[in-house]
Each structure stands twice: as structure tokens, then as C-alpha cells.
Amino acid sequence: FHGGPPRQMLAGFHYMGFYAGAYGFNEYLASKGYVVLSVNYRGGIGYGMEYREAKDFGLGGGSETQDLLGAITWLQGRADVDRKRIGVWGGSYGGLMTALALARASDSIAVGVDYAGVYNWSSMLATMGAPIDDPEDNKRAIASSPVATIGQWRSPVLVIQADDDRNVPATQSTELIQDLRAHGQLEAARHGLVGDVGRIDAEGREAPPDALRQPVDDVRVPPGADHTDPQPGAVEPFGRGRSLVTPGHRTSSSPSR
């Protein structure tokens, strides 16, 4: 699931750097025999204003959930898909879609990767200084979030979150982990922000425990970089490994300079 949400996945390499990388990764999965479906869910571009500004979308009702449920049903109906091994991944708003899939349809999703996704609309907006004042609107926002059905979450998930993310606060991932723990699902979650999970370097090696106590090197964003979406390619040291510089979803542990 793409982020944005005013984005669109294409049947080829994308004009935006992050989604070109996402397409390349999907092509890699396909080359290994996986059936890959990129879902252009409501809220995205390329299908008209009514689709982009969909009714009851986002924190106003979560109508985009119908698109992910439809995608699952479509995959389950294919003869070349093992319905017991369907996975989901996405970043930012795509991370929200991933969490919604795991919280709404965990029986149909074997595994997920949630990269910097929204988990609770209400707490996220409050953290960003824009709390939802109207009680009914706040109730609707929570009901539209994965947090509303966290008790139904049964599938394993890899959670990836930068600690200096300027689009989705890192507290969204920590809140998710805390709720998974509270519902007895901690063993299903691996998370780079909690102490019981090691840091992995670019070669896939786990850093020794003492490395986790070392300060994280500052990661800088090139001047003039787009702050809307992650742009792959530029890396800076990150502990014992290397980390992707993501202008929107940053990886620095301290404010950029």
C-alpha cells in the first residue's frame, strides 16, 4: 500500500524516488514467485476527484478499509495464491493500511510490515498539536483507526519507525507495541525502538548489546530536499549500520540542523 494518500502506484518505475524503489521491491518479490498486488485505494490520485476525496475517508470513517478487504478477497479467489500465506506491507499511510489489515482481517493476513504507519488518529493529532476537539469526531477517528480492533490482531508484524519522523510521530509505533503487549501479542512484534530488539546493520548483522547503548549519529537531510516522501539513495552512519535518509520520515535521533 502506497503512502500519501494522494499517490498512485504505477505499472512501472515511478517518477517519485520512494515509489520507484517500492516498485523495484515488488518486482523482486514477483521474480521470487510471489503474486504482488499494489492497491490504489480510495484517497489516491488518478481516478477522479470523488475517488481522491472519498466519502467517510480516513479519520472520518475509514472507508478505505473496504479497498483493502476487497484486495484480500480478490487474492483469495486466485488459483495461484495460497490464501493462508497472504502478506501486506506499506509505509506512512500505507503503514496505516497495513495495520488496518492486521487489525481488521488478521485471520486472512499471515504477516505484515508496518513502516512508519499511523495507528491511532486521535493520539497522533494530539501529539502533533492538533487535537480533535469534538467528542463525536474524536470517537469516529478512533473507530477508524487500527487501535479500535487491536484485540483482533493475531498475525506477526515487523514495525519500522524512525525516531525523528516529522510526518508520523514515533509514538504511533510505540503505542502500537504497547497495545500489542497489553493484548498478549508482543511476541508477534519486532520493533527497533524497544530495548529487547537489536539494531540490524546494512549487511543484516545484529549489533552487539553494547552498541545499542551508543548514541545514534546525526542524520542530515540535503538542503532543498523534498519533505513529502522518503527518497532512497542517500545514507549516513547509524550506529553500527547505515540508515536511509528519509526527508519526510526521518531517521535522525536529534532535530536536523
Side-chain angles (χ1 to χ4, degrees):
F1 288 95
H2 63 74
R7 303 286 185 270
Q8 180 186 30
M9 290 303 292
L10 306 175
F13 285 98
H14 206 277
Y15 52 88
M16 297 180 70
F18 177 80
Y19 297 110
Y23 174 78
F25 178 63
N26 287 339
E27 284 283 359
Y28 171 79
L29 292 176
S31 74
K32 296 299 181 180
Y34 292 93
V35 174
V36 181
L37 174 64
S38 293
V39 183
N40 284 319
Y41 54 93
R42 68 195 72 186
I45 60 175
Y47 301 94
M49 181 65 75
E50 289 186 7
Y51 194 78
R52 195 188 77 183
E53 305 295 331
K55 182 180 179 182
D56 301 328
F57 178 79
L59 70 165
S63 61
E64 64 273 31
T65 305
Q66 299 303 312
D67 298 321
L68 74 85
L69 295 176
I72 293 170
T73 300
W74 185 82
L75 286 171
Q76 290 175 331
R78 290 182 60 99
D80 55 354
V81 171
D82 183 345
R83 61 187 298 138
K84 296 181 179 180
R85 301 178 64 189
I86 297 175
V88 59
W89 77 278
S92 193
Y93 210 100
L96 166 68
M97 297 295 285
T98 296
L100 282 170
L102 292 166
R104 300 287 202 270
S106 200
D107 290 343
S108 299
I109 300 295
V111 67
V113 179
D114 180 349
Y115 166 42
V118 178
Y119 170 61
N120 182 339
W121 281 114
S122 177
S123 64
M124 187 188 79
L125 292 174
T127 299
M128 299 179 75
I132 303 172
D133 296 325
D134 184 88
E136 288 301 315
D137 289 345
N138 190 58
K139 182 179 179 181
R140 186 178 302 110
I142 294 173
S144 303
S145 305
V147 66
T149 50
I150 187 66
Q152 300 177 22
W153 191 313
R154 296 289 182 271
S155 304
V157 60
L158 170 65
V159 178
I160 305 171
Q161 175 78 54
D163 58 359
D164 191 28
D165 196 315
R166 306 301 174 83
N167 289 4
V168 178
T171 50
Q172 287 295 288
S173 288
T174 55
E175 183 179 345
L176 168 59
I177 296 301
Q178 290 166 357
D179 284 356
L180 287 172
R181 177 185 289 117
H183 286 83
Q185 296 297 321
L186 181 61
E187 69 276 7
R190 296 186 62 81
H191 189 280
L193 295 182
V194 294
D196 57 354
V197 178
R199 183 179 297 159
I200 307 299
D201 70 12
E203 285 73 42
R205 298 172 300 198
E206 184 169 358
D210 60 340
L212 301 180
R213 292 191 290 271
Q214 298 177 1
V216 177
D217 298 324
D218 182 40
V219 179
R220 295 169 297 280
V221 177
D226 177 21
H227 286 240
T228 303
D229 279 279
Q231 301 295 323
V235 293
E236 292 284 349
F238 184 72
R240 288 178 175 264
R242 298 175 70 82
S243 179
L244 188 69
V245 171
T246 56
H249 299 279
R250 302 190 185 206
T251 55
S252 172
S253 63
S254 58
S256 62
R257 305 198 257 281

